[in-house]
Amino acid sequence: MDLDEKKLNEEVDSYNSSSIQVLEGLEAVRKRPGMYIGTTGPRGLHHLVWEIVDNAVDEAMAGFCNEIDVEIFGDNLIKVVDNGRGMPTDIHPKTHVSTIETIFTVLHAGGKFDSKSYKVSGGLHGVGASVVNALSEWLEVYVERDGEKYYQKFIRGKSVEPLKIIGETTRRGSTVVFKPDAQIFKETTVFDYETLRHRLQQLAFLNKGLKINIADTRNPEQIKKASYCYDGGIVEYIKFLNKAKTALHNDVIYIEQEVEGVILEIAFQYTDDYTSNIYSFVNNIHTPEGGTHEEGFRTSLTRILNNYAKNNNLLKKDEGLSGDDVREGLTAIVSCQISEPQFEGQTKTKLGNTEVRRIASQIMSDQFDAYLKENPASAKAILEKALLALRARIAAKKARDATRRKSPLDSLGFASKLADCRSKDPAISEMYIVEGDSAGGSAKQGRDSLFQAILPLRGKVLNVEKAREDRILSNKEIISIIQAIGTGIKDEFVLENARYNKIVIMTDADVDGAHITTLLLTFFYRYMKPLIEKGYIYLAMPPLFKISQNKRVEYAYSDEELEQKLANFSGKPNIQRYKGLGEMNPEQLWETTMDPAVRTLIRVSIEDTIEADRIFSTLMGDDVEPRREFIEENAVFVKNLDI
């Protein structure tokens, strides 16, 4: 198609130097905050705190700080205090302003680029402090060093006045106070205490001997406080994570060594659990996708246990322990400190330094091999666990083959259970997992069969937290779910094979319904975790009440909404309390819970995988005491309990 020549000439003439926008200082951060903190939602908001806290932790890792205080004030102000060296206050030779002003107003300015200042660092790009400043309505810095106390204030990234001395002091350290900018964080500026507490506790575990305190004083009548300091470091972290499990050996195996400038810490322990949880970190940054440090640990673990089993005639001639066999019931922390980490991608989720794989494998081989020889009772317990897993794997292979679905009609049992949708496009297709045949019947009749599939379940799904894979894959309800979704499970999982981009759990709004939902979520989390990570799993929200008067019918989804709607009725309407989905006819189920135009769905997400693992183990495992403690601690937060 030919362009209008006159219009084109006008556009060319107007496209000059004035068309190119140059963003000075921190304007670029305010213009595109997502590039620096990922999102301006709750996760990005909390990321501001991590940037400042990470700077304080770097002082601790360098050996200059042993205590950090974090406080949430009214109006959601954050204060972070450390007793480190105190940020430099002299005039910077390149910017010709104070070094503090440089740190907080210039991107990529910081001690992280100078190996003399920080041998290892979590804040790798030197943008943390300046980005927090840019995205704050205001920020104040206090520095105490050399007997003097310094102060400087910034508003939306720009200094109000130069750094000044405001008094004398005998302490040293840095204090940063900031208020997130509501112009940037439009969704919320409210900090979640539990989110902050979990991460600060984790940092205390990863940095043995570092004391970290948190206080939430937003509500003077209910001040929340916690203090963490772990001299045992990641050994205590393993004990914390395994609190709801039964250990196969009392000691936590701990390995620490520095090789070629790489400091590696490994702590692990086997339990009677059937899942494995390996968490890796680089310079305190969680690497959920692992990387070379975790790969070195995993391969070495498999090799050493195979060698031990063969040398002690525990394996048949043609047998070998797989990685899954030796990791069953394993809880492990792999923490690496390295001066020049290379991450795959910008999200810092996977370590790429090739030399670290060799170093981790070498350290693990030397020390774990010696441990097995010196602790025969523990070695026996670990090998027996792995050998049982081997036998179960062979049995599970047969069961797993039965879950592979080649077509919607490849088994009569499957085809008779699933009422599939007509669409073959996963992007618009959704599957409702429904509790009971009665609700399943209503859902099948009330749905839009073009894009909505219905899978009814009979009874409660098996608790996968208490069962090995071979038993799980012989469970008809679970087989039906796996076959219907089409992705496979665990190591064979392929997200692209998902037949539905929405998988909706729809259960009764009572205790039994909540239990079934929890059992299903436990299964998805342990065997099909990417479905949760990629946002494919949803919870339906059926109404609790039907309000009717003459021909007027309305629904309420909570006690609060019921009260609000009753106020709009004249006289006394009829109120029906739904005890189950089966009480609704197909039309009611469609118009309240399944119609995309009016329904409410809750997307299931994972903010903290390590905490999620711990809670699933606590709530769904065998040990009663940790579950009782969890319920006692969290009962105060329950708002609606249907008994």
Side-chain angles (χ1 to χ4, degrees), residues 42-43 195 605-609:
R43 187 178 298 177
T195 298
S605 62
I606 308 171
E607 289 297 323
D608 184 340
T609 55

Side-chain angles (χ1 to χ4, degrees), residues 13-42:
D13 290 341
S14 64
Y15 185 60
N16 51 40
S17 60
S18 64
S19 306
I20 307 302
Q21 186 178 15
V22 178
L23 300 177
E24 297 182 357
L26 298 177
E27 291 176 34
V29 182
R30 292 184 61 81
K31 188 82 172 175
R32 297 283 185 270
M35 290 177 61
Y36 298 87
I37 58 170
T39 170
T40 54

